[in-house]
Amino acid sequence: MIQREPLKVLIVDDEWIIRDGLKSFPWQEFDCQVVGEAEDGAEGMLHAKVLKPDIILSDIKMAGMDGLTFASEIKTLDPDVEIILLTGYDNFQFAQTAIKTGIYDYLLKPTNFQEMKQVISKLSEKIWQHRERILRINDLSSKYAKSLPLLTGKLASDLLYGRMNGPEDMMRKLSLFDIRIESYITISARLNTDSLKPEDDHLDDWMIDFGIDNICSELFSRSCTRVLSSPGRYAYDYLLLFPSSAQEFDIQALCMKICERIQKAVKDFVNTDICFGVSRLSHDTNKINLAHQQASQACQRGYYFDRSSILFALDLESNGQAQIDLSDT
């Protein structure tokens, strides 16, 4: 429940006795407060622009700008404002027609306060329910925005480690995050913990992982359409998305340069090396897990021989070493 400040009411009528009578209505019973009054539609427009009322009571028949014209212009100015028309019996049919054009309701003059209480009670509750719904939506949006890195990290992990319940589940989750996969590679990285210096002890494990993942995600994101990361303890996995027109040779060359930049940045950050394994390019979303295995295998082999290596699965294939098949057939 949101804190209820009084709803602001504007009264527009060319008869002062009607305005005074409406001001004497027990507005406080409905969390409402009269904030202004006007003698005609033109003056009412000025008040509406300045006071930003929630509810407007307007006579339907006034000199100059009539109530319907006034209501139409007000709705253009602020679609959320609620308008109640005041009408005599001679304009009764006219007022009924106005309901279809966005007017909330009408009241007959002279106004019956019992009838008015029913209308204002329903209208004020409608406004508060709308505000509370908007507040809940904004709250959910805020929580979603704050949770988005965790949610996308979970999605990346599920994709890379094959924790999807089939192609339909995968497509549904990708759609939720507005992710379209045309072509991709996966990259696995592993930090050389053997050479972490004692002077780096002031950095907690989570700070090191957080910092390195930020470095990798930032530099990778400059050269692909989207990067999804799944960081772990001194080990980091990435899914890099590219347009369908991307060529594997160009991507491999680009990745080599980026990985070299990351290695330099990591060296500056924690004074140790980081090793990379890079998969083949693929277009098949059903083989993301296989691509991850390919990158992980390359990373493990590279780490065993050289803690600062950048090893491509394509290189392993060229050397006749068995590799996981990522062909789209």
Side-chain angles (χ1 to χ4, degrees):
M1 180 73 69
I2 62 176
Q3 185 177 359
R4 293 192 173 189
E5 295 183 0
L7 299 176
K8 294 183 288 186
V9 178
L10 173 65
I11 298 171
V12 184
D13 197 293
D14 55 6
E15 298 181 66
W16 70 265
I17 194 168
I18 298 295
R19 298 198 302 273
D20 279 357
L22 291 174
K23 286 191 292 183
S24 69
F25 178 78
W27 293 103
Q28 67 279 1
E29 293 182 14
F30 306 96
D31 293 319
C32 296
Q33 178 184 4
V34 175
V35 294
E37 57 179 294
E39 296 182 6
D40 54 46
E43 185 182 357
M45 284 294 297
L46 293 175
H47 279 291
K49 290 179 180 179
V50 173
L51 299 173
K52 308 293 183 184
D54 304 294
I55 300 171
I56 297 177
L57 277 74
S58 173
D59 189 8
I60 199 170
K61 191 174 182 181
M62 297 180 291
M65 184 186 295
D66 64 79
L68 286 181
T69 303
F70 168 68
S72 176
E73 293 196 15
I74 285 292
K75 277 292 189 180
T76 301
L77 181 69
D78 182 3
D80 291 330
V81 69
E82 298 289 357
I83 300 174
I84 298 173
L85 291 177
L86 305 173
T87 178
Y89 282 104
D90 56 337
N91 290 311
F92 180 71
Q93 191 66 42
F94 199 29
Q96 285 184 313
T97 303
I99 300 296
K100 300 177 182 178
T101 63
I103 305 301
Y104 176 75
D105 208 338
Y106 62 90
L107 292 169
L108 291 175
K109 297 168 68 173
T111 305
N112 182 309
F113 271 19
Q114 287 304 119
E115 180 184 354
M116 186 170 171
K117 283 183 178 181
Q118 295 177 7
V119 173
I120 297 300
S121 176
K122 291 180 181 178
L123 176 55
S124 61
E125 191 58 33
K126 173 191 173 184
I127 293 173
W128 286 117
Q129 287 179 359
H130 173 71
R131 290 188 177 183
E132 288 172 0
R133 184 167 60 252
I134 294 299
L135 186 67
R136 287 195 298 270
I137 291 172
N138 290 339
D139 184 51
L140 286 173
S141 298
S142 176
K143 290 179 179 177
Y144 174 77
K146 291 177 181 177
S147 302
L148 193 56
L150 292 175
L151 293 173
T152 52
K154 175 65 165 59
L155 175 64
S157 179
D158 289 346
L159 288 167
L160 292 166
Y161 287 91
R163 292 192 291 261
M164 294 290 179
N165 297 320
E168 290 185 2
D169 179 52
M170 178 187 295
M171 297 310 297
R172 180 180 63 83
K173 290 179 178 177
L174 290 173
S175 177
L176 284 174
F177 290 88
D178 194 27
I179 296 174
R180 181 182 176 186
I181 299 180
E182 297 180 4
S183 64
Y184 65 88
I185 62 170
T186 68
I187 297 178
S188 289
R190 184 174 174 183
L191 191 69
N192 178 18
T193 58
D194 297 337
S195 60
L196 282 175
K197 302 295 183 181
E199 56 265 27
D200 295 324
D201 287 346
H202 66 282
L203 289 175
D204 292 333
D205 293 336
W206 72 268
M207 293 177 66
I208 293 174
D209 288 331
F210 179 77
I212 292 177
D213 180 50
N214 270 344
I215 291 171
C216 293
S217 296
E218 166 66 21
L219 292 176
F220 283 141
S221 67
R222 297 178 185 177
S223 303
C224 61
T225 58
R226 189 158 184 175
V227 56
L228 301 178
S229 69
S230 177
R233 177 71 178 276
Y234 299 141
Y236 319 91
D237 296 308
Y238 299 92
L239 175 63
L240 275 61
L241 309 185
F242 297 91
S244 57
S245 58
Q247 298 296 310
E248 184 164 26
F249 178 80
D250 296 329
I251 291 175
Q252 301 280 349
L254 193 59
C255 282
M256 174 62 78
K257 291 183 177 295
I258 296 171
C259 288
E260 288 173 347
R261 290 174 188 164
I262 293 174
Q263 286 179 329
K264 182 179 183 304
V266 169
K267 195 80 169 178
D268 293 337
F269 178 46
V270 286
N271 195 31
T272 192
D273 298 315
I274 188 169
C275 170
F276 291 96
V278 184
S279 76
R280 295 290 307 270
L281 179 70
S282 179
H283 305 273
D284 189 345
T285 55
N286 296 314
K287 292 186 176 181
I288 294 176
N289 172 238
L290 296 178
H292 171 254
Q293 293 179 42
Q294 199 178 72
S296 180
Q297 185 181 78
C299 182
Q300 289 174 7
R301 292 185 181 179
Y303 187 84
Y304 180 78
F305 292 108
D306 181 358
R307 304 296 168 87
S308 63
S309 66
I310 303 170
L311 192 58
F312 292 83
L314 184 62
D315 296 332
L316 295 178
E317 290 180 7
S318 300
N319 293 331
Q321 301 182 50
Q323 276 291 297
I324 299 164
D325 183 18
L326 287 186
S327 62
D328 297 334
T329 57

